[in-house]
Amino acid sequence: MLAALNHFLWLLCRAVSLAQPDTLPLIRQDWNRTWYTANPDLTQCFQNTVLVWVPCVYLWLLVPFYCVHLYCHDRGRIQMSCLCTVKMVLGFLLASFGFVEFFYILLERSQEIEHHMVFLLSPIIRSITVILALCIIQLERIRGCRSSVFLFLFWVLSVVCSLVPLRAKIQLAIDEGIASDIVRYLAFFSYFSIQLAQLFLCCFADQPPQGKPILEKEVMRSTSPFIPLTPTTLASYERGVNKCMRLVSEELEKSLTHSWLAERSFGVQKPQSGGVDTPSGVCSSFFSSTSSSLCSDISVPKHTPHKHSIQPSKGSASNPCPVEDASFLSKILFWWFTGLVVKGYRTPLEAEDLWTLREEDTSHKIISDLQQDWTVECAELQKQQKALASGAALGSRLPDQAQLLRKLQKEQSSGFFLLRTLTRKFGPYFLTGTLCIIFHDAFMFAIPQVLSLLLAFMRDGDAPVWKGYFYATLMFLLSCLQSLFNHQYMYTCFTVGMRVKTAVMGLVYRKSLVVNSSARRTCTVGEIVNLVSADTQKLMDFVVYFNAVWLAPIEIALCLFFLWQHLGPSALAGIATVILIFPLNGFIAKKRSKLQEIQMKFMDGRIRLMNEILNGIKILKFYAWEKAFLEQVLGYREKELKALKKSQILYSISIASFNSSSFLIAFAMFGVYVMLDDRNVLDAQKVFVSMALINILKTPLSQLPFAISTTMQALVSLRRLGKYLCSEELRVDNVSKAPLSPEGEDVMIENGTFSWTPEGPPCLKRINVHVPRGSLVAVVGHVGSGKSSLLSAMLGETEKRTGQVTVKGAVAYVPQQAWIQNATVQDNILFGRDKLKTWYQRVLDACALLPDLDILPAGDATEIGEKGLNLSGGQKQRVSLARAVYRKADVYLLDDPLSAVDAHVGQHIFDRVIGPKGVLRDKTRILVTHGMSFLPQADLILVLVDGEITESGSYQELLSRHGAFADFIHTFASTERKESVIQRAGSRRSNARLSMVDFMPFSRDLSQEQLIGGDTTNTNLQNMEPVSETDQDQIPEDLGKLTEEDKARTGRVRLELYKKYFKTIGLAIIILIVFLYAFQQAASLTYSYWLSMWADDPVVNGTQIDTDLKLSVFGALGFVQGIAIFGTTVAISICGIIASRQLHMDLLVNVLRSPMSFFECTPSGNLLNRFAKEIDAIDCMVPEGLKMMLSYVFKLLEVCIIVLMATPFAALIILPLAFLYAFVQSFYVATSCQLRRLEAVSRSPIYTHFNETVQGASVIRAFGEQPRFILQANRRVDFNQTSYFPRFVATRWLAVNLEFVGNVVVLAAAILSVMGRSTLSPGIVGLVVSHSLQVTGILSWIVRSWTDVENNIVSVERVNEFADTPKEASWSTEGSSLPAAWPQSATIEFQDYGLQYRKGLELALKDITLHINQKEKVGIVGRTGAGKSSLALGIFRILEAAKGKILVDGVNIADIGLHDLRSRITIIPQDPMLFSGSLRMNLDPFDTYTDEEIWSSLELAHLKTFVSNLPDKLNYECSEGGENLSLGQRQLVCLARALLRKTKVLVLDEATAAVDLETDTLIQSTIRTQFEHCTVLTIAHRLNTIMDYTRVIVMDRGHISEMDSPANLISQRGQFYRMCLEAGLV
């Protein structure tokens, strides 16, 4: 090597010097001055050529490329700053030094120039290069480059190349004195000082550029310093943004076609190049000219900041990410992160402390480009599928196996297309990281070569000492550079992973807004949540470990090449070992991939079921079904854990084989080496350089299986994501949108045939509808006749088989089952629009909402729970109707909105809203209804039978035809026609009361009524303090708050959590694991020491003695270590599964045993987050972290023992470094744990929003609100990423700092070895240095693994949070003497009963004393908030008694278990709820009834014919929430449940509101006959259903105001009489 370098220098000097030929031998001989000497130096030729020209050549060669880069990346002009001025001044000084030196040499040393022109050229070249550097500084300033990597490296090269002349000048000055040539000395020292100053100045960033505002940010970040992430502020903020978007649309109106505007206003948009849902391409081009005017329209209410605040304005100005202001040096060392670490150490971090996302990391920036690419990819995939389909159509029908294969190929293709899209978007930035890892590998392989030189130096006693220090320093510098490049690579990977997560979440969310009904049924909410949680995590892991897939084999090959250099053909034994290991691990990876698919399938099922349980928890509690569903969840969980256990055992085999691979390779190579020839001697250089290379080899060998496994998992996730993202969408041509015309028909369907799935049977056939503008159309028909499907066809929600559908103008839609957001009442009604106060009040009045607002704690600012949990069915429907009315649309599609409200309220709404004199009188209204009294006022009536319109016409026309409709009217509505006249008169009398604010004069604390699903309110609203009448003007801000935010705990993780986790495992297993780890490391230490002894063995006659014995002992020790590794990994994996099973069980039981109030104030997203992400972390991440931490802690102990044994003085260095290590670790862990908590907390709102959006997608589409909801999703994802980004940067900050500590240990070990080379053998030195080289990674991995454990043990903390929340009473009472047939007589007695929703509030029921006799039929009536549903809640013990008691058959219900009580009484709620699963499971989850009994109950519920015609009959699979059944059919299923249970006590809560009158009559008849021997309590909204009851209880303000038979109450002319009068019954 030295000879080659000498030859190169000779050629260089020959080329550039004018030296005479006789001087060349002197130059060649001068190499001895540089290396083979105790006082090294470089020749003058080298110093004046190579050292001067290297930085110059670097700058001149690369400057063209750098200028092109600056030209392509203009960030705006930077004003001339002090920093830039100083750089320029110093630069001119440097340039002037060169010219001064040029003239000095020209004048003073002209004699030397004749022989050495190079001395004259060098200063000129140097000065011109400095001038070029100054030009680059100015160009960077103009193009907005604040910190230059390019110039930083130039000044580094300049300073490094000046160090040798500096040393030479200092040595010469010492030898000859400075006075000999003082001018040149001072000039050089000044020049060097200015170079250092330039390098120092390059470590700082310049001021930010000006003149390049990011306009999207200006719109997004407008006024408020903090915008809390609450429904109130979110909706207010979005209304402002929506206003901006409307203004944009108005400005564009002149240039766009009417058809596009029509589609825009309807919310059904054609796929633009920018994406499926949002016209972002149009808007973004417009922002540049209107951003300033639009921003002023965004009004955000003032709120105090709290933990869930997002900082769109102030945050961007006062708390930007400091990486934007960091210099190059700060970026590579992550110093810019130190401020947050210090802040986190001093006080626990909160959301306000976090930085705003950089523009390139925001959802808007990432998804806007990606969606265009994905749209193109989807179109290409669809072309391929169509080609395949057409090819198949030409031939015969494919067999089932071929169809399945084609389906799998489609899924794989979709995954590939998604990967290609992501690669195109994020690949270039990812490649910069790949470049870093290549440099890292280069430095990594250089270290063993330097170690080899160091060991050769130790063996050579005559070598000068400076070489040893040189090798030690070189090893230290290489280690530092290796660390820097490694962590830049990791930073790049995690940044790309974060962006991939944002991109995938955005694509999935946008897809959920356009997916059609058939695809929606194949992917439940739980599975979608899993896609954005588990599958995105797999993709993030894939980004980090992907390079290892191709780089690890290269690293392995390089290791084996260098091993060949040291051990010759014996290295082939190592290759053979690697080849044997790979198939085993390839097989394991393949098996684990299959097991992971199985595990994910069961996890999907578990999450889907949990989502349904949380959605239907009310039904579970009423029917006492918690145990049945608990068993189902645990069934999924056991299957999931079984697959996980198999996977972990296989993984343990893989880990053991790879961790033992270094031993196996060494054993094979050393064994073959010494056995091939007795003269093959294993000395220290061969052994420990080989071991260093093998330790390097361990990294790719251990990464490769994980990388392959991660890649396999990512491919599975890509396939799952691709399958969903390529699922069928709603076709834009399902409905033709046309601009509004003054006259004509607004809705037209011509010869339409529609179905819910492309292949399924049609749900509507031969539909012909023409709706004139401004008309009222009523749609009537039996349950399941297709009424709701007809409205869906008008919305484009169904598949259009044939025909044409045209809708003109904007559409507003009221679904049959109201979709309510978790937001305030006002925000639900405004739905993104500006508040027009007069119109808003008019809508509230028309929709009869003013009385309800009067009893809410904060009026219309009261927050509504998820799915409207704290509103009654009637209230939800009225809010849903008000949302549509406020919209001022042109066409209103109303799907039976009056079924859930009282009769008088229904009439009021019809008269004031829908009818000929209502606020919508000039609009086109299509009303699905079961109310016959409204039909005479309809302009057109459509009669649907089995999906066909059998009759159509006006009311009188249909009666005159004497068809089926006329017969139906004469049979069921003869009284209603009479009632309608009286009812309208009654409603006119009652309108004044309905519109009065003082409709409910009692306290506004909502303690009057409670949720069953009737016209009631909810427990959790009672948690708010009552507001007196005097406080109406100033309502406390948090009074209407309902849901409790997912709060992050602060501080370090409590010790109790570790105790709880380890307690579930068991002390005996923990002791066994620690022993196995100690045993494993002892074996490792022993065989390492054995190798050093072997290396130091004296060589006798060219051979070493007892090599067979040494090899055998070495092999035995390594084998024992491998067995111990397998034992530890399996033990920890199994322990993790044991703990995870128990913690999941505890969480599940705690949640199911929580009262209803808990579910009303806890968003389902928070709970799903616990069951999905947190449980997944406990399953995998915690055991994995413990494995890593324990293995590295014991490995560190081994290294410390070895270093201290060899060089005891190392303790003087190791102890201070240990304190520094502990100091850095304490800083990091405090910050990292809090960031993990904040990230977990901010993740829950994403899942909640996804859940809410999927369930309300049809409403969102109908109102055209996709852009606003996409904006809302973007903001939630971005908020989550604001805590994720610093979390992974914290790991890099730690690693860079700790690896510097580790590199100091390497330096110390090497220098101490050099100092003690007279006493230390080469074998011991090799042992110490090779082990100290591992300290760098070990220290970093200990803290990172420990932090991972602390970060993920937070999951245990979050899962355990619900252990201390209030619980219901026990489900069953031990030793209960309750008779099996209880209740037999079913008498119910209230004794001085009182009920309150929480302590401190007034009683909702007061002094109720009541006796209900056996078989008595009792109706409970009263105004909204009177307390009627509270009676039923008391009977079911949804709320416990505050005073008094309830006796059923003389048994105090408070003394028996909840399941004992609830399983013996039955309720039919107003809101029917079904679960995904078979119809039989929905009727009988415990499998306690025979098929005959079930069929009998279905027959009595009038469902037998329908179920008999289903393909699978009782095994028919109901979709999530029972969406594949109509609302009326679901209500009948609930009736069948009650008939099946046949309990002695039945509570009805307006159970027939969603069915037609004919079915209602049959049901009422069934109830009267089948429950003749039962005690029936009916909470009545329609008084005609209870007029034949034995008694009626009239509730008022929590008291019983009247109680008697209906006839007697009417004769008394009291409150019941007035209610009957209003209903038209008297």
Side-chain angles (χ1 to χ4, degrees), residues 1500 1502 1559-1571:
L1500 293 169
H1502 311 284
T1559 310
D1560 187 9
T1561 305
L1562 292 171
I1563 290 171
Q1564 294 295 342
S1565 173
T1566 300
I1567 290 171
R1568 284 168 175 75
T1569 55
Q1570 295 302 313
F1571 294 99

Side-chain angles (χ1 to χ4, degrees), residues 189 356 380 428 455 711 994 1098 1134 1284 1369:
F189 291 146
T356 52
E380 186 178 337
L455 292 176
T711 303
L994 283 164
I1134 291 175
Y1284 177 77

Side-chain angles (χ1 to χ4, degrees), residues 235 334 821 1317 1353:
F334 299 97
Q821 282 186 277
R1317 68 170 174 162
I1353 210 77

